[in-house]
Amino acid sequence: MQKNRNEIPAKYKWNLDDIYPNWDLWNKDLDSLKEMMNKIPAYKGTLANNSKTFIEFIELEEKISRLLDKIYLYPYLQRDLDSTNEEASVKLQEIESIYANYSISSSWITPEILTIPKETVVEWINTNPVLEPNRFPLMEIYRLQEHVLSADKEKLLSYFGQYLGVPSDIYSELSTSDIKWNEVELSDGTKLPITNASYSKIVATNRNQEDRKKAFEALYNSFNINKNTYASIYKSILQRDFASAQSRNYSSSLEKSLNPKDIPVEVYQSLIESTKENTAPLKRYIALRKKALGLKEYHYYDNSINIVDYNKEFSYEEAKESVLESVKPLGDSYYNGLNTALGEGWLDVYETSNKRSGAYSINIYDVHPYMLLNYNGTMDSVFTLAHELGHTMHSMLSTENQPYPISSYTIFVAEVASTFNERLLLDNMLKKTTDSKERIALIEQAISGIVGTYYIQTLFADYEYQAHQIVESGKAITPEILNNIMSNLFSEYFGDEMSMDELQKIIWARIPHFYNSPYYVYQYATSFASSANLYNRITSDKYTAEEREASKNAYLELLKSGGNDHPMNQLKKAGVDLSKKDAFLAVSTEFNRLLDLLEEEINKEKGE
């Protein structure tokens, strides 16, 4: 239920004054930003002259970047609180236009840096400590040298920057602005349009399978009716990605996506192979749910309903205390940091009119992280709070321990801290309750994370890989071809326990990540696997107390490391080597452990 924003106490709302107390100061900084951006072209042709000029330039670039973070996010966050905020929308478009023009006018920078011998830049860094924070990003420029074009070609490509995003924009309009939702009548007489939000609620809470089926067919038909258009949009994205990869001397879209973070293609392939080899617990879980829910046939729309009817509500204050208590195993420093993050002004807690849906944590290096929630008192909301606080603590520790140029961690490791926090919360809540219904709900909450974050995201990553390969081998893309990929994947992952609906195959049309950020979703799975490995090393009795303590310290060092190394190396230092398929086995091991617990609790609930 939405709250009136004016009636919500300040302690539950963002304090954006920490960024700017008013638009006047924002405008003043915008003028400063433009002034600094205008200085950049004057350095063209001078970077190789001497270290003094080079340092001046690097420092100016950092000032621009840090100021841009604040200037961009101030209207961005305001618009997320109220999508009808006209002033914020106008300001946001203004800064986006300024940045687009800056990208074009500064496209010469990387090619010019590459005209300086690498040995010279290394010497400048060694003899000028002020450059040390830039060592890693500067060396990355040289590592990726073969994929950087000449200055004129880089400038030419930069003109296409906004245009290359058009397919994603078209998808967004078709799937959001222009989509026609179908109305259904449920078994209780309720009539409503089935949107993404109402569908999610029905499949998660409505215990009548026929109602879930109606909602499923209504939602998926809204996408299926435009399947040819969605397939055409997706084909253009696949073709764009391959053209972009070839223009930068990559052999595939996947290689272009992974190489900037030095992630071997084999890691992506190993994730898919290992997951396919370990689908037994997923199939076991579906069979268990089918029996526990008393279903003759189990469908995809049955995945979200709880085995038990559990509707306990948790106040936000209760949620805060639960999450705080759960992180104590990570030490006083982590606990105190989390307590700070839960203070006033960092979280916008409740759903209000025109507020963005979902949840996220976003960091401003020179201010602090901001977390958006839409807290509604459900168990899922409690776990969402723990999840976002994991991101926030990762950002806080990175900011505290790394200079700006290497403070931002990659998406590849971003979900480690968030899912780790969820595991801490689960274990703490399980220890505190003897209620079988609550224990079943908690275990299912954890398992749904494994299914949704690891197995489903790997299945989606598998789909992307196959779709891109089709285009890269010069073959056609049609709705039927995309449907067949999905159909085969769901059969491989879920087996015969799940009945495949024809409309389920069109799921590729309603996953925004495929259209907005290709080759992104696999990182949910790699982060989840890494988190499972780390959690096991820190909490399992099979390790000595000294080993667990060392693993905890290594984990905290990972969170403090920001972006000071390639993510694979960062994880390896913490004890996880994703180049080995065995690294992914921790997920299926944990899955089976939770399934054993779930079966035990179900039997208790039945009195067996």
Side-chain angles (χ1 to χ4, degrees), residues 7-32:
E7 296 173 357
I8 298 173
K11 65 180 180 179
Y12 300 126
K13 296 188 288 188
W14 278 342
N15 179 12
L16 298 181
D17 287 357
D18 290 348
I19 313 174
Y20 292 106
N22 53 58
W23 283 113
D24 288 341
L25 289 176
W26 185 89
N27 283 317
K28 185 178 179 181
D29 266 1
L30 182 62
D31 289 338
S32 297

Side-chain angles (χ1 to χ4, degrees), residues 205-224:
T205 62
N206 193 312
R207 304 199 72 79
N208 184 312
Q209 189 186 36
E210 189 60 30
D211 283 346
R212 298 196 297 271
K213 179 182 179 182
K214 284 181 180 179
F216 168 80
E217 291 178 345
L219 182 83
Y220 279 68
N221 268 317
S222 292
F223 288 89
N224 194 54

Side-chain angles (χ1 to χ4, degrees), residues 2 78-85 352-356:
Q2 288 188 351
Q78 290 203 41
R79 196 186 62 170
D80 278 359
L81 294 181
D82 180 4
S83 61
T84 66
N85 186 327
T352 54
S353 180
N354 299 313
K355 180 180 173 181
R356 175 174 169 165

Side-chain angles (χ1 to χ4, degrees), residues 411-459:
I411 299 299
F412 193 80
V413 297
E415 297 299 330
V416 173
S418 55
T419 52
F420 195 100
N421 267 19
E422 288 189 64
R423 284 289 303 276
L424 287 170
L425 179 61
L426 172 72
D427 282 357
N428 189 57
M429 291 181 77
L430 281 173
K431 286 175 186 174
K432 291 172 64 177
T433 182
T434 56
D435 179 353
S436 279
K437 275 193 175 181
E438 185 166 350
R439 289 179 66 81
I440 289 171
L442 282 165
I443 295 165
E444 279 223 277
Q445 176 77 28
I447 290 177
S448 69
I450 294 176
V451 175
T453 310
Y454 184 78
Y455 282 94
I456 293 293
Q457 300 305 329
T458 304
L459 184 154

Side-chain angles (χ1 to χ4, degrees), residues 206-335:
N206 193 312
R207 304 199 72 79
N208 184 312
Q209 189 186 36
E210 189 60 30
D211 283 346
R212 298 196 297 271
K213 179 182 179 182
K214 284 181 180 179
F216 168 80
E217 291 178 345
L219 182 83
Y220 279 68
N221 268 317
S222 292
F223 288 89
N224 194 54
I225 194 170
N226 291 317
K227 64 182 180 181
N228 291 304
T229 305
Y230 284 117
S232 180
I233 295 169
Y234 193 53
K235 178 180 70 174
S236 71
I237 286 171
L238 297 173
Q239 292 172 333
R240 175 203 68 188
D241 289 351
F242 190 40
S244 179
Q246 289 175 301
S247 72
R248 292 199 174 277
N249 305 313
Y250 288 104
S251 62
S252 68
S253 305
L254 179 60
E255 186 187 14
K256 180 179 180 293
S257 177
L258 302 184
N259 195 41
K261 301 304 177 187
D262 201 29
I263 298 164
V265 169
E266 291 73 26
V267 169
Y268 195 99
Q269 295 166 332
S270 290
L271 168 68
I272 291 172
E273 290 169 10
S274 178
T275 307
K276 281 182 174 178
E277 291 167 6
N278 291 281
T279 57
L282 180 59
K283 292 164 184 170
R284 177 188 169 194
Y285 179 51
I286 299 303
L288 187 156
R289 283 180 56 79
K290 182 179 178 182
K291 180 180 177 182
L293 291 167
L295 301 175
K296 290 183 180 179
E297 283 190 357
Y298 189 96
H299 296 262
Y300 189 64
Y301 48 78
D302 297 320
N303 264 350
S304 300
I305 193 77
N306 285 336
I307 288 175
V308 292
D309 196 1
Y310 177 84
N311 298 305
K312 179 179 176 179
E313 289 203 6
F314 301 82
S315 72
Y316 177 65
E317 295 302 325
E318 287 175 323
K320 280 171 60 176
E321 290 306 311
S322 291
V323 175
L324 261 176
E325 184 181 357
S326 71
V327 303
K328 285 182 178 178
L330 291 178
D332 292 342
S333 180
Y334 192 95
Y335 176 91

